[in-house]
């Protein structure tokens, strides 16, 4: 049976980078008879311009029907001044995430040895870095109730939020992480603050319970403050890290920066059945939109993640990742990863090179 991929180019550089990713996806679809069909829809600012809302009903329906979704990026100055926050481009993404229950965020931080100089850390500390951060995306303190700002006795204002996870939420993100570790080096580090926060005492307990189902995966625990330190001290000690929404938000950005090249980093947000939305970690880069300068590799690598995690085509994903490594070996660089002695290429030329590498 054919599988449907929904493509959401979005705003800014979104359409340019998605165009190159689409070429790669179409090529492997034909090359390996994957039986994929493609649908395209509007989201974000492009949807506001066309339909007045960031997530039109037709887009949400298409997202629900699709087996996987590829997103470029949304947002830009054009829509920043819309006074109604419900009509902001980002609401399009949040709407898809919450409507589809995309609770499991996978963010790899991979530093190709060819780009080791791009990191702010010493090459020997980061060269060959390959970490996967699994972040819970729909719960925790960002969503916990009650929340707000209230006035205490004596007229003093007090802000408050609630950090809450039930055991089912912890178990389902734990499973995503253990399964991912199983496909990698079988090492999982669970990050919490169990010395201070009861919710993460429960988190740790559930991770220990799950570990019994995954005897092949080595589980360790680390407090979040130490994890932040270790990420910049010796990041290669990690394989897969799993953590809650807020800690994951911070640690995944820090890990991304270790690589020094935001244009190279893909991400996935998965539901309980493995259906997912795939997108580069970066935004819509309005400063370079329409100039052919954007690096399409994060989006192309998002296609690889999609094939691996939602479409059961891990071998094809490996081939795309190998093709990306090959174009880096050919010294081709978009401006964001440019350095002395390398050959500058445009967005489309980078796409051409990946397509050529895949064709062999
Ligand atoms: P950004 O990631 O868009 O850009 C940060 C810097 O990195 C810019 O200098 C940009 O030119 C550069 N950059 C980003 N991607 C690149 C690529 N593929 N190739 C080369 N250079 C690249 O972040 P920002 O400037 O903070 O945000 C711009 C807009 O994107 C905002 O409207 C923001 O809300 C939105 N945004 C969207 C998403 C998303 O769609 N998931 C995520 C983050 C930000």
């Amino acid at each position: 049976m054919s599988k449907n991929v929904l493509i959401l180019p979005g705003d800014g550089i979104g359409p340019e980078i998605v165009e190159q990713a689409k070429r790669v996806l179409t090529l492997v679809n034909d090359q390996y008879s994957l039986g994929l069909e493609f649908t395209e829809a509007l989201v974000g600012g492009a949807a506001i311009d066309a339909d007045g809302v960031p997530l039109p009903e037709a887009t949400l329906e298409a997202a629900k029907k699709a087996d996987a979704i590829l997103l470029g990026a949304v947002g830009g100055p054009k829509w920043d001044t819309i006074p109604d926050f419900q009509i902001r481009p980002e609401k399009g993404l949040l709407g898809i995430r919450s409507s589809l229950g995309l609770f499991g965020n996978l963010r790899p931080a991979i530093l190709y040895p060819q780009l080791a100089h791009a990191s702010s850390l010493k090459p020997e500390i980061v060269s060959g870095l390959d970490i996967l951060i699994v972040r819970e995306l729909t719960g925790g303190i960002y969503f916990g109730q009650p929340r707000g700002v209230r006035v205490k006795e004596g007229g003093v204002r007090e802000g408050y939020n609630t950090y809450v996870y039930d055991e089912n939420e912890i178990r389902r993100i734990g499973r995503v992480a253990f399964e991912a570790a199983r496909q990698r080096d079988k090492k999982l580090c669970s990050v919490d603050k169990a010395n201070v926060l009861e919710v993460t005492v429960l988190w740790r307990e559930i991770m220990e319970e799950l570990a019994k189902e995954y005897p092949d995966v080595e589980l360790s625990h680390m407090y979040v403050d130490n994890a932040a330190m270790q990420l910049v001290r010796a990041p290669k000690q990690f394989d897969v890290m799993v953590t809650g929404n807020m800690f994951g938000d911070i640690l995944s950005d820090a890990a991304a920066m270790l690589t020094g090249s935001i244009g190279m980093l893909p991400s996935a947000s998965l539901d309980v059945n493995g259906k997912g939305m795939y997108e580069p970690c970066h935004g819509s880069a309005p400063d370079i939109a329409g100039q052919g300068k954007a690096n399409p590799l994060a989006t192309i690598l998002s296609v690889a993640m999609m094939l691996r995690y939602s479409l059961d085509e891990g071998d094809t994903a490996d081939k795309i990742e190998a093709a990306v490594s090959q174009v880096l070996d050919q010294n081709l660089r978009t401006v964001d990863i440019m350095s002395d002695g390398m050959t500058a290429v445009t967005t489309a030329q980078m796409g051409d090179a990946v397509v050529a590498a895949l064709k062999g």
Side-chain angles (χ1 to χ4, degrees), residues 8-27:
L8 303 173
D11 310 316
I13 59 169
E16 302 164 50
I17 52 179
V18 163
E19 190 185 333
Q20 301 312 316
K22 240 165 58 180
R23 290 176 65 200
V24 168
L25 194 51
T26 314
L27 174 72

Side-chain angles (χ1 to χ4, degrees), residues 144-167:
Q145 295 288 347
R147 60 193 294 157
V149 179
R150 59 193 166 203
V151 181
K152 294 203 295 187
E153 241 175 77
V156 175
R157 283 176 303 157
E158 169 181 74
Y160 58 101
N161 289 86
T162 304
Y163 190 175
V164 59
Y165 272 121
D166 72 30
E167 58 182 306

Side-chain angles (χ1 to χ4, degrees), residues 204-220:
R204 200 176 267 223
E205 262 176 50
I206 302 294
M207 290 297 159
E208 282 295 334
E209 267 177 44
L210 278 176
K212 298 192 184 100
E213 291 175 38
Y214 296 88
D216 50 328
V217 176
E218 180 195 318
L219 174 70
S220 61

Side-chain angles (χ1 to χ4, degrees), residues 13 73-76 90 93 262-263 279 282-288 294-295 336:
I13 59 169
V74 297
E90 297 73 14
L93 284 194
I262 196 167
E279 54 182 311
H282 58 72
S284 58
D287 53 330
I288 57 166
N295 185 347
D336 57 312

Side-chain angles (χ1 to χ4, degrees), residues 9 11-12 36 50 59 72 79 82 88 112 138 240 259 266 346:
D11 310 316
L36 302 178
T59 302
W79 304 281
I82 297 176
R88 289 286 178 89
Y112 289 86
T138 54
V240 180
T259 71
T346 63

